[in-house]
Amino acid sequence: MKQRILIAGFGDTGLLVAINLSKHYDILGVSPKPCLVSGQELGLRLTQPQAWKRDYLMPYERYRKLDGVRTVQGLISAINSDQSTVTITRADGTEMVEPYDALVIASGVTNGFWRDNSLADLATINNQIEAASQQLLAANSAAIIGGGATGVSVAANLAAQHPAKAVHFFYSQEQPLPGYHPRTRAQVTKHLENVGVHLHPQHRAKVESDFSGDRLTTEPVNWSSGQDDFQADITLWALGKVTPNNSFVPADMLNRDGFVKADEFLRVPGYNNIFTVGDIAATDPNRSSARNWGYRLLGHNIRASLQGKPDRMKPYSAPENRWGSIYGVQDPNLPDSGLRVFQPDGGSFRFPRWSVQSLLFPLAVRKMIYKGVRPSLDGETRQEH
């Protein structure tokens, strides 16, 4: 009988963990959604929702390496580490208790209106994506609050795709993208200027303590940094105010900020068969195991652990700076067309637009990283009942 790996959270990272372990293990993935709803590329999701859904809203059945993998739509309500079981509340309200040989906590974070831990069916997900896009695109002027990658992505894509709109981008430092290399920050600032974004550095918004940026607003923005109030038709809040999805995780597994503790091997300290990865894992200040091939290292370490060879486990090493795609794929008629990827050392390289759809996504992403994605799927997205 195959050993059982239970993955709590089946988003971008949990899915990749399953794909890389599915050949040799019995895997159960638990997700509040019936499909992959990626947290990536909010700018594209809002400005080109149909194109975004083609690559980032994906039924699990399309992934060939998930054939034979069970997925349950529901929420984990408890971990019993003594018995090596979890309790799952399914979408229909019923409970089930499932055993594991290894548990992976990859439940991610809630951030704004685009990343949450709520139970939702596919129709609701589609409606939410379309409604937010229509609300933003209907406005003649927009304020984007927050200088991280999400704010940059929205500001850059909105200004580039809709140059007639007045796009105002507010951030608290002199340049956006704290945590990125200075060269990346300078290059991105120049790009924002080139596509017509109105930049407002050193602005810090007044935010009510109970507001997490989970909706678009229309009221004037007030500034604790002393500037005059600002009024736009619509305001998007990309505050980086993330809430870890940790309601089921025992308190001794969490750090003071509510993220899951992780040792150098992506194990939860004190628990030899419980691992963590992704945005919820407190691996480093940037919690960067959601990127940097964290899923692949975790797969290696889980195999070593379950084979009784912990000495073969490898440590996770985080880069000093954040890196990756920031704008997403840009149309040929736009500045910096194609897909630009920024490196930890501040360098960058660009995939031409023609290569993205003909080579990068079908070969590098879908074939090499995801190990095979079916081109289409008939019928409804399957759920475990």
Side-chain angles (χ1 to χ4, degrees), residues 33-253:
K33 307 296 192 290
C35 55
L36 173 67
V37 186
S38 176
Q40 301 181 55
E41 310 291 11
L42 181 63
L44 292 179
R45 172 171 164 168
L46 290 170
T47 59
Q48 302 180 70
Q50 296 308 314
W52 181 88
K53 286 191 283 188
R54 180 186 62 220
D55 296 314
Y56 297 103
L57 181 67
M58 193 80 71
Y60 293 129
E61 293 89 337
R62 289 188 60 185
Y63 297 98
R64 297 184 186 278
K65 288 295 183 178
L66 294 188
D67 290 352
V69 170
R70 292 174 60 207
T71 58
V72 173
Q73 186 184 2
L75 295 170
I76 295 179
S77 55
I79 298 173
N80 185 331
S81 58
D82 292 333
Q83 298 295 322
S84 291
T85 63
V86 300
T87 302
I88 303 167
T89 302
R90 293 186 288 191
D92 62 6
T94 60
E95 285 192 345
M96 57 192 295
V97 176
E98 291 286 340
Y100 61 81
D101 293 293
L103 172 64
V104 178
I105 302 174
S107 49
V109 298
T110 291
N111 184 14
F113 59 83
W114 58 94
R115 300 175 70 186
D116 65 40
N117 199 39
S118 63
L119 291 164
D121 58 24
L122 187 57
T124 299
I125 294 166
N126 273 299
N127 289 339
Q128 291 171 341
I129 292 170
E130 294 293 338
S133 175
Q134 291 172 13
Q135 189 179 0
L136 184 67
L137 297 183
N140 292 318
S141 62
I144 315 299
I145 315 294
T150 299
V152 170
S153 172
V154 176
N157 280 279
L158 186 59
Q161 292 286 340
H162 302 276
K165 296 182 184 295
V167 180
H168 295 265
F169 184 34
F170 299 88
Y171 42 96
S172 62
Q173 298 187 13
E174 186 59 39
Q175 290 182 320
L177 297 179
Y180 285 76
H181 193 279
R183 284 196 292 160
T184 298
R185 301 180 75 179
Q187 185 174 343
V188 167
T189 300
K190 184 64 176 177
H191 175 79
L192 292 168
E193 293 173 343
N194 289 342
V195 297
V197 176
H198 301 278
L199 301 180
H200 301 272
Q202 298 182 332
H203 280 65
R204 187 176 296 277
K206 291 181 180 178
V207 183
E208 297 295 331
S209 60
D210 60 348
F211 180 62
S212 61
D214 57 352
R215 67 184 186 279
L216 298 167
T217 62
T218 57
E219 297 81 16
V221 181
N222 312 121
W223 309 102
S224 61
S225 46
Q227 294 88 351
D228 292 338
D229 294 355
F230 186 85
Q231 176 71 68
D233 293 339
I234 203 77
T235 298
L236 183 144
W237 302 81
L239 302 172
K241 192 175 181 180
V242 300
T243 301
N245 298 322
N246 64 6
S247 61
F248 64 97
V249 183
D252 69 301
M253 296 185 185

Side-chain angles (χ1 to χ4, degrees), residues 20-36:
N20 279 266
L21 292 172
S22 62
K23 183 177 180 180
H24 300 291
Y25 298 98
D26 173 24
I27 294 179
L28 173 62
V30 184
S31 170
K33 307 296 192 290
C35 55
L36 173 67

